[in-house]
Amino acid sequence: METKKVWFVTGASKGLGLALVKKLLQQNYRVVATSRNSQSLITEIGDASENFLPLEVNLADDKDVKSAIAKSVDYFGQVDVIVNNAGYGQIGTLEELSDKEARENFDINVFGTLNVIRNAMPHLRQQRSGHIFNISSIGGYSGNFPGWGIYCATKFAVAGLTESLAEEIKDFGVKATVVYPGYFRTDFLSKESVRTPENVIEEYETARNSEQAHLDEINGNQPNDPDKGAEAIIAISEVENPPVHFLLGSGTDEYLNNKIKLITDDAEKWSELTFSTVI
């Protein structure tokens, strides 16, 4: 019987990450799950077993991430599928957010992802196989969410680095996919999870309206089921030629089409200036 692949999933104590870990274990995959607090993983899923290893990891600490990958390989003998799911939402306009607030969001959402990639790739490269999923957001494809600029910037970065990663690692038989989830019914938008600006500038009325809509109206009413999202990611992992870009969830096609139209319209409108640079 074929030995099931080993998955390494960050941000696994809640939301899409937790749903994914539970689905994987139900399907007899072997899973390493990480969180800032390992007890939360044990409470939700259980103690370490022959198929499950919960780890407490600070993703912003490269040495801690390196140790976690090493523990995973020691425990299961290999890693096969990496899911960089950990991250958080930072609300606030670009003027409002302090340097510290902005950098902390990048530290987890971007540099945490890079730390995992950097330390997992030697193993994937050596075994000449593997798949890296980087969880972005529909806000990493379309940035027209007032008051979410820094968060969107982190998720755009995740999308951009995944495109490059896919080209860099394909010769080793390793795949890379950036996932753009839409609105899923998790606690991502809860007041306990999302961060708001420490120094609010009231003049940004549009941003405040967007913030309140997300926290008070959209939260709890998201149209997508995280269990079904997890099933879709597992399905993508099992195909021979997975996509580099994967839109996940109802409503994402609207953002796709709107952005394509916006860029195309601008390109056509300003084409004369665009090509005015020819010598």
Side-chain angles (χ1 to χ4, degrees):
M1 186 172 66
E2 181 184 359
T3 302
K4 284 284 191 175
K5 291 178 179 178
V6 176
W7 288 61
F8 182 96
V9 182
T10 70
S13 63
K14 57 186 178 180
L16 184 60
L18 178 59
L20 178 60
V21 169
K22 288 182 175 180
K23 287 288 181 183
L24 289 167
L25 291 172
Q26 288 171 9
Q27 298 181 28
N28 297 317
Y29 285 97
R30 295 174 290 170
V31 182
V32 181
T34 84
S35 176
R36 290 171 295 177
N37 181 355
S38 60
Q39 186 56 49
S40 63
L41 295 168
I42 294 169
T43 300
E44 287 285 352
I45 303 166
D47 293 319
S49 67
E50 62 180 0
N51 286 332
F52 177 61
L53 177 63
L55 292 178
E56 189 167 308
V57 181
N58 176 7
L59 293 175
D61 184 336
D62 185 62
K63 291 181 179 178
D64 203 25
V65 174
K66 184 176 183 177
S67 174
I69 295 291
K71 289 176 184 176
S72 303
V73 174
D74 287 343
Y75 196 85
F76 287 120
Q78 65 195 75
V79 288
D80 300 293
V81 184
I82 307 295
V83 183
N84 284 303
N85 170 71
Y88 68 90
Q90 174 66 67
I91 295 178
T93 65
L94 297 179
E95 181 185 355
E96 285 173 316
L97 292 180
S98 66
D99 182 71
K100 179 176 181 289
E101 288 171 308
R103 288 180 184 274
E104 285 180 349
N105 206 203
F106 270 87
D107 280 344
I108 299 301
N109 293 9
V110 180
F111 291 105
T113 292
L114 284 170
N115 286 342
V116 174
I117 292 169
R118 183 183 304 112
N119 289 292
M121 268 308 302
H123 301 280
L124 303 180
R125 182 161 43 80
Q126 183 178 29
Q127 68 194 29
R128 312 292 289 190
S129 66
H131 196 158
I132 298 174
F133 286 91
N134 294 326
I135 309 300
S136 177
S137 163
I138 197 59
Y141 176 78
S142 177
N144 60 336
F145 296 91
W148 291 85
I150 288 297
Y151 173 75
C152 287
T154 68
K155 293 304 186 177
F156 266 75
V158 168
L161 68 87
T162 307
E163 279 195 4
S164 294
L165 180 67
E167 291 299 312
E168 292 169 356
I169 64 180
K170 64 182 182 182
D171 290 343
F172 308 123
V174 184
K175 314 295 185 183
T177 298
V178 55
V179 181
Y180 303 94
Y183 288 102
F184 277 79
R185 196 165 299 180
T186 68
D187 61 357
F188 175 78
L189 290 174
S190 69
K191 290 179 171 62
E192 293 76 27
S193 296
V194 75
R195 299 187 189 180
T196 53
E198 294 178 4
N199 298 303
V200 173
I201 300 174
E202 294 298 341
E203 286 90 336
Y204 282 104
E205 184 176 350
T206 301
R208 291 291 82 76
N209 290 339
S210 173
E211 175 183 321
Q212 291 307 309
H214 279 84
L215 297 180
D216 299 334
E217 298 171 24
I218 297 174
N219 183 37
N221 296 303
Q222 298 96 322
N224 294 295
D225 181 348
D227 288 336
K228 293 181 179 179
E231 290 172 356
I233 292 172
I234 295 171
I236 290 292
S237 78
E238 295 172 343
V239 301
E240 184 176 352
N241 296 304
V244 175
H245 298 269
F246 179 54
L247 295 169
L248 182 61
S250 172
T252 54
D253 57 335
E254 180 181 351
Y255 292 100
L256 171 71
N257 295 331
N258 287 345
K259 181 153 186 181
I260 290 172
K261 184 177 186 304
L262 174 67
I263 294 176
T264 301
D265 287 351
D266 279 350
E268 291 175 351
K269 179 178 180 179
W270 300 101
S271 62
E272 185 176 344
L273 272 179
T274 297
F275 300 110
S276 67
T277 61
V278 177
I279 295 175

